Amino acid sequence: MHVRRSVLASLTATAALLAVGAGPAVAGDHSKAPALSPPIAQGLAGPLQLAVGDHGSIYVSQSFAGLLTKFSRGGRADIASNPGGEISGVDLGRHGEVFYTSQTSTEQGVVTASALNRLRHGGSSVVSDILAYETANNVDQGVAYGFQTIAADCAAQWPVDVLGPPQYTGVVDSHPYSVAVAGRHHFVADAAANAIFDISSNGDIRTVAVLPPQPTVVTAEAAAALQLPVCTVGLTYNFEPVPTDVEIGRDGGLYVTTLPGGPEDASLGARGSVYRVSPWSGKTRKIAGGLLGATNLALGKHGEIYVSELFANRVSRIVHGAPQTLIDVASPAGLEFADGKLYLGYDVFANGSIATIDIGNGRHGQSDHHGHRDTRASRAAKSKLLRALSPWGHRS
């Protein structure tokens, strides 16, 4: 039940279980739900992350193909690649740079490379070797995963070859899944290191926070469905948190979605969450739960939180700490807010597509480097964030 080495493999395996009846994008019968626009792009291999730039340009990571693709008035162009590996996170810098994360692993799931990269003037370079940092620090090595307590005779019945050890601590692993840029700071959500990193322009890495374990009580139904030993019923299992997206809020905080390790379908319930993380102290606070496959989030003009729930086949808005359906759509993933719209990558396991959802916010104002419509409040928040981070000594 511990997290797989490849989050993409985990997502793909779960999608196969849920594929029956998934079909293309579907409009629900929610009378007030916004409509999904006609597709802007189709035929994409896993549009798991998006960034929106000036003049309607869209950058999308085709994670299953290891490509970074740009859509603009000039058409479609693949602008970066990672042959044999994947490209996940993407965001835009303030001087026209494109920042993206990459990972390569063996067929056995052993990670051989993970990095933050910069694309500038048509050339790509590595900003920071994230795997090297994780190898040197193993940032969650002090975190206990697996069963909080388990008797020796019960642990002896646990299928270690299939589900891993019944109790373990964090191992060296890296899967930089998303990136959010603020000035010289590049915040990376690493889904395998279970952490948020702050990477400076010259490649220095600081661990902002390690996300907390995700406790789940094993029910009789879950034990039967997953063929777990009967003695585990009633025990609490600490899953790994698996952060999948990070965005910078108007309050200067970092907002993070988690896709807890283990089965991501509904067999153990809707266990995905949204956290707020302080970028300077690392203090972490859960602000929403009950999400089924929380793979991405977007922040609206007034701080609204929208989440793509990959395995619930919907995009939700967080209201009072819980998801409310905004729109039903097959296998949604990449999600960004710009120009009063949500830009969405969906149908990610079949005919990967991009469309928009008009939510009626942020129609006016000057666009910042995230593609959001900037307001005085958000500019002030970003300035506050950068001032607060300056003592950490990150240099350009």
Side-chain angles (χ1 to χ4, degrees):
M1 284 163 53
H2 65 293
V3 63
R4 268 78 104 191
R5 290 286 177 175
S6 171
V7 175
L8 291 180
S10 173
L11 298 183
T12 304
T14 306
L17 297 175
L18 302 178
V20 177
V26 179
D29 54 5
H30 308 282
S31 59
K32 296 183 180 180
L36 194 70
S37 76
I40 298 172
Q42 294 180 295
L44 301 171
L48 299 185
Q49 301 283 351
L50 302 173
V52 182
D54 294 330
H55 310 298
S57 58
I58 303 171
Y59 300 80
V60 55
S61 61
Q62 296 194 67
S63 296
F64 303 154
L67 292 173
L68 180 61
T69 303
K70 179 181 179 181
F71 293 89
S72 65
R73 294 174 181 173
R76 170 176 175 167
D78 295 330
I79 57 175
S81 65
N82 183 25
E86 70 167 89
I87 290 176
S88 292
V90 57
D91 202 3
L92 308 180
R94 57 184 177 178
H95 300 301
E97 315 100 320
V98 180
F99 293 91
Y100 65 94
T101 59
S102 60
Q103 189 231 44
T104 305
S105 59
T106 67
E107 291 184 0
Q108 293 73 35
V110 178
V111 179
T112 57
S114 73
L116 173 67
N117 310 275
R118 178 193 292 112
L119 184 65
R120 181 168 52 186
H121 306 309
S124 182
S125 60
V126 173
V127 176
S128 189
D129 186 334
I130 299 174
L131 179 59
Y133 178 82
E134 165 65 3
T135 300
N137 295 277
N138 187 10
V139 297
D140 67 340
Q141 62 183 307
V143 181
Y145 301 116
F147 289 104
Q148 292 181 358
T149 59
I150 185 171
D153 58 343
C154 187
Q157 301 176 49
W158 185 254
V160 176
D161 292 342
V162 177
L163 300 177
Q167 294 177 309
Y168 65 103
T169 54
V171 299
V172 172
D173 207 352
S174 178
H175 191 162
Y177 204 75
S178 64
V179 58
V181 181
R184 297 183 177 93
H185 299 268
H186 312 79
F187 297 100
V188 171
D190 194 309
N194 298 317
I196 305 299
F197 298 132
D198 178 6
I199 303 178
S200 71
S201 295
N202 67 345
D204 292 340
I205 303 181
R206 174 178 67 94
T207 301
V208 176
V210 174
L211 276 293
Q214 309 293 297
T216 299
V217 177
V218 179
T219 64
E221 295 77 12
L226 298 173
Q227 299 182 335
L228 306 180
V230 175
C231 62
T232 62
V233 174
L235 301 183
T236 299
Y237 189 98
N238 283 346
F239 285 93
E240 299 187 33
V242 192
T244 52
D245 195 17
V246 56
E247 295 285 349
I248 301 167
R250 294 172 66 245
D251 59 357
L254 305 178
Y255 289 78
V256 179
T257 44
T258 63
L259 185 77
E264 304 297 350
D265 61 17
S267 60
L268 292 178
R271 301 179 295 123
S273 303
V274 178
Y275 287 86
R276 184 192 183 279
V277 178
S278 167
W280 42 87
S281 71
K283 182 179 179 180
T284 300
R285 177 170 57 92
K286 183 177 177 179
I287 59 174
L291 298 156
L292 187 57
T295 52
N296 232 266
L297 83 157
L299 302 176
K301 178 181 179 181
H302 302 293
E304 305 92 341
I305 301 174
Y306 302 93
V307 179
S308 55
E309 295 185 74
L310 186 67
F311 300 124
N313 294 310
R314 67 177 183 175
V315 175
S316 300
R317 178 178 173 180
I318 301 302
V319 180
H320 302 305
Q324 290 188 0
T325 300
L326 179 73
I327 190 170
D328 295 308
V329 59
S331 307
L335 192 65
E336 285 293 321
F337 172 80
D339 302 318
K341 301 176 183 178
L342 292 173
Y343 287 73
L344 174 68
Y346 65 96
D347 207 7
V348 299
F349 299 112
N351 180 30
S353 304
I354 300 173
T356 62
I357 307 168
D358 191 342
I359 55 175
N361 289 323
R363 296 181 182 278
H364 307 289
Q366 182 180 359
S367 178
D368 69 5
H369 66 276
H370 290 287
H372 301 301
R373 288 311 184 185
D374 213 350
T375 65
R376 289 182 180 178
S378 62
R379 288 196 297 269
K382 190 168 294 181
S383 296
K384 177 182 177 182
L385 169 64
L386 295 176
R387 287 196 305 271
L389 288 169
S390 60
W392 294 105
H394 288 193
R395 303 174 299 277
S396 59

